[in-house]
Amino acid sequence: MSAVPLEAVVRAEEGVVPVPDVAAPLGARARLLPALGAVYRAQLSRARVARIPLLFVATFQSVGIMILMRGVVDGGGEAHAVVAGSSVLVVAFVALNLLAQYFGQLRGDGGLDHYATLPVPPAAVVLGAAAAYASFTVPGTIVTAVVGCGLFGLPLTHLWVLAAVIPLSGAALAGLGAALGLLAPRPELATLLGQMGMSAALLLGVLPAERMPEFLQYARDLLPSTYGVEALARTFGSDPDWGAVALDLAVCAGVGVASLAVATWAYRRAAVR
C-alpha cells in the first residue's frame, strides 16, 4: 500500500506541483563600491533641494565673518588664517552640523531600520551620505576662498589645493558629524552637538592661532579641520612649504579615515538597537 500523503495526491490530480517548505536563500550582499555609488546618488538627489538654501547660508556666513575680520586683521599670516578658516567653515557647516542633524533624525524616526533591511555594507551608508553632503560644500568653499583673497589681497595662484582640502576636511568632519548624530540618544541632542561642533570650528579655525590662549591652541590641534585650514593657509605665502602642506593633508586624511571608521561603528551599533 502506498504511503503517499492524501494532500499530495489531491494536488497532483489538480495539476499543482507541490513546493518544498524550504526558505529561499538570500541574495549576496552588494559590494562596497557599487553600494556606495547607489547611496551617494540617492542622498545627492534627496538633499539637493533641501540643502541648497542652507549652502547659501553657510557661504554668506563665512563671507560675513571675513568682512568683519577685515576691520581687525590687516594682512600677513593672520589674514591667511582668516581666509583659510572661513573657507573650511563652509565644509564644517554642511558636513558636520547638517550631517549630525540628518543621522540624528534618521535614528529618531526609525529610518535606520530601512537601511538595515538593505543588503548594503554599513560603510557604504555612512560614506555615501558623508560624500553627498560634502559635495554640496564645493561651490561655497571656492566662492569664499576667492572672495577672501580679494578682501585681503592674497594670491589666487595656489587655490587648486582646495581640490585636496575640501574632500579631506569634508571626510574628517562628515565622519565626526555622522558619529555625533548616531551616538546621540535623541535628535535634539544630535542637533545641539552638531551646532557646538560647528561653533568650535568657527572659534578655533577662523581666529588666528597666535591670538588664542594657550589652552585653546591645544584644543585647536584636536579639531579635525585644523589641518585642512593649516594646509590652505600655507599656500597663501610667497614661497609655500609644500612639504608642510603635504604633511597637514596627510594628517587630515588619517583623521578622516579614523572618524569615518568610528561613524561606521556607530551606525552598526545604532542599527541593531
Side-chain angles (χ1 to χ4, degrees):
M1 185 174 182
S2 174
V4 178
L6 178 60
E7 182 181 358
V9 174
V10 173
R11 288 187 177 182
E13 292 177 352
E14 294 177 352
V16 179
V17 179
V19 179
D21 190 14
V22 179
L26 296 176
R29 292 180 65 86
R31 290 176 296 173
L32 177 61
L33 291 181
L36 174 59
V39 173
Y40 173 78
R41 290 190 297 270
Q43 289 290 338
L44 201 63
S45 61
R46 174 191 175 278
R48 184 177 297 148
V49 176
R51 302 309 179 191
I52 284 180
L54 294 174
L55 175 60
F56 281 110
V57 171
T59 306
F60 291 150
Q61 171 184 262
S62 295
V63 172
I65 290 172
M66 289 191 301
I67 293 174
L68 291 175
M69 295 297 293
R70 184 65 182 85
V72 179
V73 176
D74 294 328
E78 293 183 346
H80 301 172
V82 170
V83 175
S86 299
S87 301
V88 177
L89 182 62
V90 180
V91 182
F93 183 88
V94 177
L96 175 59
N97 186 22
L98 297 185
L99 201 59
Q101 295 181 32
Y102 169 72
F103 273 108
Q105 293 173 357
L106 198 66
R107 181 184 179 187
D109 60 14
L112 287 182
D113 297 336
H114 166 71
Y115 282 107
T117 61
L118 300 178
V120 296
V125 178
V126 174
L127 293 175
Y133 273 71
S135 297
F136 284 101
T137 68
V138 175
T141 304
I142 294 174
V143 169
T144 302
V146 171
V147 172
C149 289
L151 283 174
F152 291 92
L154 302 179
L156 301 172
T157 310
H158 301 302
L159 281 187
W160 56 264
V161 79
L162 285 174
V165 171
I166 293 175
L168 295 179
S169 298
L173 293 171
L176 179 59
L180 291 176
L182 290 166
L183 293 175
R186 297 191 305 274
E188 297 81 7
L189 186 56
T191 300
L192 175 62
L193 292 174
Q195 291 177 348
M196 290 178 62
M198 193 200 67
S199 299
L202 169 61
L203 174 64
L204 302 176
V206 175
L207 297 179
E210 296 78 9
R211 298 195 177 190
M212 296 181 185
E214 187 174 357
F215 74 93
L216 284 182
Q217 294 183 16
Y218 289 117
R220 184 174 182 268
D221 293 337
L222 299 176
L223 190 67
S225 59
T226 296
Y227 304 97
V229 173
E230 290 290 338
L232 180 58
R234 294 181 193 276
T235 64
F236 292 132
S238 57
D239 186 18
D241 185 352
W242 293 110
V245 172
L247 180 60
D248 286 328
L249 292 176
V251 173
C252 195
V255 174
V257 170
S259 65
L260 289 172
V262 172
T264 302
W265 168 82
Y267 170 80
R268 289 195 183 97
R269 178 177 179 270
V272 298
R273 285 181 173 238

